[in-house]
């Protein structure tokens, strides 16, 4: 069994082209056909992709903060896994937005090698982000995380299930893949929800507190934004109001198995006439972006 | 696989591409893993089509790199790698040889993947699987973690020989 | 969600109660001599078991503590592709910890016990992680040099005498070599970037080169445990042999990158067929091992906080599993 030494051989440069050959960056959609269906407005498609992409990007960032901080090793791995799935979805969606309508991509200094997905993630200002506010805040503890992940993943899974029949082949493909992933996220959240609800008095107390923190941001998920209305009309996207009932039914299933009542809290209102989908965010968002974007912005001509 | 007039070149390209291995599970070739979807040669240009196992797969760039540079080494000057997102990768695509390679390396191979399409039912209990310990064959196995070291694996332990082992999940 | 309790404890059977210990020992020695594996259900000398527990635990702890220096940059990764690679890498390290704790559990100790030993400072982890990560280039340098040095140390362990450890190492090494390649690739991409990026890479390599050399442990003359461990097949090459191997393989890679290794004494010695190089500052090494590294206190405090903050969650899982079992039976 000399096979064990394979790692060594790679390391010792058994194949030296490995060291002379860098992976030149390619767009996550490189090689994918990005033609737009007839009757679809490219700008509308891009705006819609940014919404779904930003939800995934921002939430992935928050979940990634659990790395090396989770309650147990298994959960460290699981949360990183979920963050990674969402990051993958975000990259495809941002790239889809850029391919559909290049004008959504911030303009960088002449000669900058920064690819479109990164220009969107790292060089857009807060008001340019189109994610819902639910995904923005940093969680105080695992109870909040479980509650937030349950709300987010039931919502996203319902959207992606329908998006599988989008007339945009790229969106349909992203959704088909995403469904398998988010179904896992939802099961993970639901199992922990049940476990915390029925574990100890302390875990129940913390879960209920967490649920009360995230519940007010739920209503925003199902409000139809004009971009989403157009997306549904032109058959490339989903009107979130349409999935509200089925998401609610699913939540009810988890709540009742867990013996948990819906929190009696008022929904968080919009800011003036807008909310997350209009670029109006929580205070947490700016701090998050400041951290996320700091290195990229220090090197607008940088190659990573 | 696409058929073209340049049959010998196509055979070579297919053979070379089929030998490239997964960077994280080098006991599996991309072909055995079901990631390699197609190899086509037209006017001396090779187009290889691959599909990611999951959206966030950080190994995609490395696979692309390996394919390009192996084919360049074999005299192809124009190599393109296409990514196909549909149909989405399924663990059912792991070949019989791939499954044997997994077992030979102490991993448990996936069972049949759940049917795709339609709403996904909520499962509040960990997935029950009837597995055999890849070391001693015992069926007395217990899941220790539904999420293994990489996204596609779960962790188990054999109650008989005590071996901790990984199971490649059904997706 | 987690099942980490170990009901079967091979160690409990205790060698002392066995009348035919001499015969058992002879069989054990013969297995080692044949380079066969010792398996969890096999008899083993208590000293072998405890040495293994210490070594595997230390290795597992290193994986877990090792998540911190790189985890420090996940939220600031400068591109989405790099963020995915880094997050996956840190997750892999958690997975390595999981493999290794599992291997350790086959020797009759629990992960909980080992974790307590770590946060109480009674078991060690690799000193390299007591150095800070100060720029994004450090992510690449850690992949290239630190994972690279770790592989040099670990590849021989794939053939180690204890089965579950050896098999865990085979899996770990495959992933480490992927990490090393990605680290190198980050540095090589940055070297093709701006002047500021190249300077960042060089500064990072300057900082990590010496601590990386220390990863192989003190020179052989000062390394007390080596002999017995080699006899048992727990260790397979001496510290100095591995260090030399690492230096020899790093030199051409540094040249390919276009960075300078910060050692004026680094020259090819045709007679030996190896590079001569300057030893790292062993005073610094011992100081860091004893706890005075730049990040020792911080790393342990972080682990302790995560462990303590998570106690209520683990308690809930245990309580829930118990009630589930009760209602089932
Ligand atoms: Fe590791
Ligand atoms: Fe590593
Ligand atoms: Zn077994």
């Amino acid at each position: 069994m000399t096979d064990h030494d394979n790692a060594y051989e790679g390391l010792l440069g058994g194949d030296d082209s490995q060291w002379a050959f860098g992976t030149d960056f390619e767009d996550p959609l490189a090689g994918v056909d990005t033609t737009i269906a007839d009757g679809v407005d490219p700008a509308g498609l891009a705006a819609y992709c940014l919404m779904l992409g930003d939800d995934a990007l921002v939430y992935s960032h928050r979940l990634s903060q659990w790395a090396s901080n989770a309650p147990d090793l298994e959960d460290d791995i699981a949360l990183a896994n979920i963050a990674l799935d969402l990051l993958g979805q975000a990259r495809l969606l941002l790239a889809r937005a850029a391919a559909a309508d290049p004008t959504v991509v911030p303009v960088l200094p002449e000669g900058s090698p920064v690819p479109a997905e990164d220009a969107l993630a790292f060089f857009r200002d807060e008001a340019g982000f189109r994610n819902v506010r639910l995904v923005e805040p940093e969680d105080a503890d695992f109870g909040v995380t479980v509650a937030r992940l349950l709300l987010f993943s039931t919502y996203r899974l319902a959207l992606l299930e329908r998006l599988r029949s989008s007339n945009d082949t790229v969106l349909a493909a992203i959704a088909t893949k995403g469904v398998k992933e988010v179904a896992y996220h939802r099961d993970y959240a639901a199992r922990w929800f049940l476990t915390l609800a029925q574990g100890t008095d302390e875990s129940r107390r913390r879960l209920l507190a967490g649920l009360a923190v995230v519940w007010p941001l739920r209503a925003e998920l199902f409000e139809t934004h004009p971009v989403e209305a157009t997306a549904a009309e032109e058959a490339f996207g989903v009107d979130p109001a349409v999935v509200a009932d089925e998401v609610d039914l699913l939540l009810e299933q988890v709540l009742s198995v867990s013996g948990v009542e819906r929190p009696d809290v008022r929904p968080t209102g919009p800011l003036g006439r807008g909310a997350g989908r209009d670029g109006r965010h929580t205070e947490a968002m700016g701090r998050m972006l400041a951290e996320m974007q700091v290195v990229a912005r220090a090197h607008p001509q940088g190659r990573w | 696989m696409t058929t073209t007039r340049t049959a010998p070149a196509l055979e070579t390209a297919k053979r070379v591409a089929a030998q490239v291995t997964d960077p994280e599970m080098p006991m599996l070739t991309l072909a055995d893993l079901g990631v390699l979807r197609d190899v086509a040669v037209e006017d001396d240009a090779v187009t290889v089509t691959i599909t990611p196992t999951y959206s966030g797969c950080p190994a995609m760039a490395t696979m692309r790199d390996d394919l390009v540079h192996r084919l360049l080494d074999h005299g192809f000057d124009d190599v393109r790698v296409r990514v196909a997102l549909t149909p989405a990768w399924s663990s059912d695509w792991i070949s019989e040889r791939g499954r044997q390679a997994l077992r030979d390396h102490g991993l448990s191979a996936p069972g049949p993947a759940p049917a795709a399409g339609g709403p996904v039912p909520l499962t509040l209990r960990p997935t029950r699987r009837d597995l055999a310990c890849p070391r001693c064959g015992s069926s007395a196995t217990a899941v220790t973690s539904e999420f293994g070291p990489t996204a596609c694996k779960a962790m188990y332990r054999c109650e008989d020989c005590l071996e901790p082992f990984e199971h490649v999940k059904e997706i | 969600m987690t099942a980490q309790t170990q009901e079967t404890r091979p160690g409990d059977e205790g060698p002392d109660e066995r009348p035919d210990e001499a015969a058992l020992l002879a069989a054990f020695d013969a297995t080692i001599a044949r380079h066969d594996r010792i398996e969890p259900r096999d008899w083993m000398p208590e000293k072998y078991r405890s040495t293994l527990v210490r070594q595997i635990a230390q290795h597992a702890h290193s994986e877990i503590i090792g998540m911190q220096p790189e985890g420090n940059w996940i939220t600031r990764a400068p591109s989405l592709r790099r963020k995915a690679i880094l997050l996956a890498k840190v997750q892999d390290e958690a997975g390595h910890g999981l493999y290794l704790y599992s291997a350790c559990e086959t020797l009759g100790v629990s992960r909980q016990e080992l974790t307590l030993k770590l946060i109480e400072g009674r078991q060690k982890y690799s000193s390299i992680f007591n150095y800070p990560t100060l720029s994004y280039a450090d992510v690449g340098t850690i992949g290239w040099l630190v994972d690279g040095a770790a592989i040099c140390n670990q590849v021989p362990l794939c053939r180690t005498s204890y089965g579950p450890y050896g098999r865990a190492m085979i899996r770990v090494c495959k992933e480490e070599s992927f990490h090393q390649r990605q680290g190198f690739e980050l540095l090589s991409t940055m070297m093709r970037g701006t002047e500021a990026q190249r300077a960042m890479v060089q500064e990072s390599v300057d900082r990590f080169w010496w601590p990386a050399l220390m990863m192989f442990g003190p020179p052989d003359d000062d390394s007390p445990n080596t002999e017995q461990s080699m006899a048992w097949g727990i260790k397979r090459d001496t510290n100095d042999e591995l260090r030399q191997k690492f230096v020899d393989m790093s030199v051409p890679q540094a040249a390919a990158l276009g960075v300078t290794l910060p050692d004026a004494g680094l020259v090819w010695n045709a007679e030996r067929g190896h590079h001569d190089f300057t030893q790292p500052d062993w005073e610094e090494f011992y100081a860091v091992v004893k706890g005075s590294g730049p990040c020792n206190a911080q790393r342990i405090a972080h682990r302790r906080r995560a462990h303590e903050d998570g106690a209520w969650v683990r308690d809930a899982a245990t309580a829930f599993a118990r009630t589930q079992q009760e209602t089932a039976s």
Side-chain angles (χ1 to χ4, degrees), chain C residues 59 63 92-93 96 147 154 172 176 179:
Chain C
H59 191 166
E63 300 285 355
D92 281 352
E93 305 303 1
H96 297 169
D147 284 82
Q154 291 169 10
V172 168
E176 298 297 11
H179 295 168

Side-chain angles (χ1 to χ4, degrees), chain C residues 128 131-132 134-135 137-138 141-142 144-145 187 198-214 254 257-264 280 284:
Chain C
I128 189 75
Y131 289 87
L134 303 177
S135 78
D138 289 0
T141 309
I142 287 182
W144 175 44
L145 292 179
L187 297 183
R198 277 188 286 279
M200 202 192 285
V201 172
Q202 183 62 57
E203 189 276 332
S204 172
V205 170
D206 289 347
R207 248 181 314 112
F208 271 100
W209 174 250
W210 302 109
L213 288 185
M214 295 177 199
L257 271 180
V259 296
T260 311
L261 296 173
D263 178 2
E284 175 183 320

Side-chain angles (χ1 to χ4, degrees), chain A:
Chain A
M1 287 251 275
T2 50
D3 183 52
H4 303 168
D5 291 328
N6 277 356
Y8 233 9
E9 270 150 30
L11 196 64
L12 293 169
D15 179 1
D16 13 279
S17 42
Q18 176 168 332
W19 305 110
F21 199 87
T23 306
D24 273 318
F25 176 81
E26 283 194 61
D27 185 276
L29 284 179
V32 173
D33 179 10
T34 53
T35 330
I36 294 170
D38 287 342
V40 169
D41 167 31
L45 174 61
Y48 183 68
C49 289
L50 284 183
M51 292 178 170
L52 296 186
D54 287 344
D55 284 353
L57 176 64
V58 174
Y59 199 36
S60 164
H61 184 98
R62 285 310 189 194
L63 289 168
S64 77
Q65 291 179 299
W66 276 107
S68 85
N69 292 301
D72 221 338
L73 213 41
E74 286 81 356
D75 300 294
D76 224 302
I77 293 170
L79 291 165
N81 225 309
I82 296 170
L84 207 51
D85 285 343
L86 291 173
L87 180 55
Q89 294 175 19
R91 293 184 61 194
L92 293 166
L93 287 160
L94 296 188
R96 183 41 177 154
D101 179 7
T103 65
V104 297
V105 182
V107 178
L108 289 176
E110 186 71 23
S112 167
V114 172
E117 57 165 344
D118 291 334
L120 282 166
F122 300 100
F123 293 87
R124 248 183 318 162
D125 290 328
E126 182 176 336
F129 279 80
R130 290 289 177 265
N131 54 280
V132 292
R133 290 174 297 174
L134 175 69
V135 297
E136 294 168 14
E138 191 165 357
D139 290 341
D141 72 12
F142 191 68
V144 193
T145 296
V146 167
R148 195 186 308 276
L149 184 59
L150 182 68
L151 296 194
F152 180 76
S153 57
T154 46
Y155 160 74
R156 191 168 180 89
L157 183 57
L159 284 186
L160 294 180
E161 281 175 346
R162 285 171 188 248
L163 208 53
R164 285 182 293 193
S165 46
S166 164
N167 67 6
D168 183 66
T169 53
V170 182
L171 264 183
I174 296 171
T176 306
K177 213 149 190 45
V179 164
K180 294 184 180 198
E181 295 162 350
V182 180
Y184 229 128
H185 309 170
R186 187 191 61 183
D187 285 352
Y188 175 82
R191 286 176 203 174
W192 266 118
F193 194 94
L194 174 62
T195 304
L196 296 182
Q198 303 193 347
T200 63
D201 290 345
E202 174 69 356
S203 69
R204 187 176 176 83
R205 183 186 70 73
R206 290 202 193 224
L207 178 71
L208 296 182
L211 193 61
V213 167
V214 298
W215 197 266
L217 289 163
R218 209 174 86 83
E220 183 186 338
L221 305 179
F222 304 100
E223 273 158 26
T224 312
H225 188 276
V227 166
E228 292 164 321
T230 311
E233 259 160 52
E234 294 182 7
F236 63 81
V238 181
D239 176 356
V242 169
V243 300
D245 287 347
E246 70 188 62
V247 171
D248 203 60
L249 216 65
L250 217 127
L251 274 183
E252 187 50 45
Q253 199 186 332
V254 179
L255 291 174
S256 70
V257 176
S258 310
V260 170
E261 298 283 317
R262 283 161 193 258
D264 182 19
V265 286
R266 301 195 56 75
T268 308
L271 178 57
R273 258 177 296 151
R277 298 269 186 243
D278 306 286
R280 300 192 173 187
H281 297 286
T282 61
E283 288 179 347
M285 183 74 176
R287 285 194 303 274
M288 192 214 93
L289 289 180
E291 182 176 351
M292 185 174 99
Q293 298 177 332
V294 63
V295 180
R297 288 200 177 198
H299 302 272
Q301 301 279 6
R303 236 176 247 285
W304 309 98

